[in-house]
Amino acid sequence: MAELIRSGQVADLVLLCLALEAAGLAAWRWRTGRGLGMTTVAALILPGVMLALALRAALTDAWWGWVGLALAGALIAHVADLHQRLRALPGASAQPRD
């Protein structure tokens, strides 16, 4: 177990799980016509992918800049996902009351 973590393969396992989740959600949408759209799935999955890449870089002693870039990417993806979700709320386009 320690080698799985030290080698960064634990991050690969997380990435595999995220890919399977995205594929499952896409298959559900394709098969039933219900569920999340692919843009929503991508926005949901991307922050986790970026965090897993940051973890892998940190565990494998990659250049510190890769860790920072991956974390920044996770933040940007997370903010984009929040923006998308907030826009979809009922009444989100209404003007604020003073």
Side-chain angles (χ1 to χ4, degrees), residues 90-98:
S93 62
Q95 295 294 324
R97 296 182 186 168
D98 290 328

Side-chain angles (χ1 to χ4, degrees), residues 42-62:
L44 179 72
I45 298 291
L46 190 57
V49 168
M50 297 306 291
L51 287 172
L53 291 174
L55 175 64
R56 188 175 207 306
L59 291 174
T60 59
D61 291 327

Side-chain angles (χ1 to χ4, degrees), residues 75-92:
L75 175 63
I76 291 167
H78 177 62
V79 169
D81 181 34
L82 284 175
H83 177 71
Q84 179 182 2
R85 289 172 189 257
L86 290 174
R87 277 193 9 225
L89 289 175

Side-chain angles (χ1 to χ4, degrees), residues 6-58:
R6 265 194 300 271
S7 68
Q9 289 177 335
V10 68
D12 296 337
L13 186 59
V14 170
L15 289 168
L16 176 63
C17 290
L18 287 168
L20 290 173
E21 180 182 2
L25 290 169
W28 176 260
R29 173 75 176 208
W30 177 77
R31 186 170 172 97
T32 67
R34 298 182 324 207
L36 302 174
M38 290 314 300
T39 304
T40 304
V41 171
L44 179 72
I45 298 291
L46 190 57
V49 168
M50 297 306 291
L51 287 172
L53 291 174
L55 175 64
R56 188 175 207 306

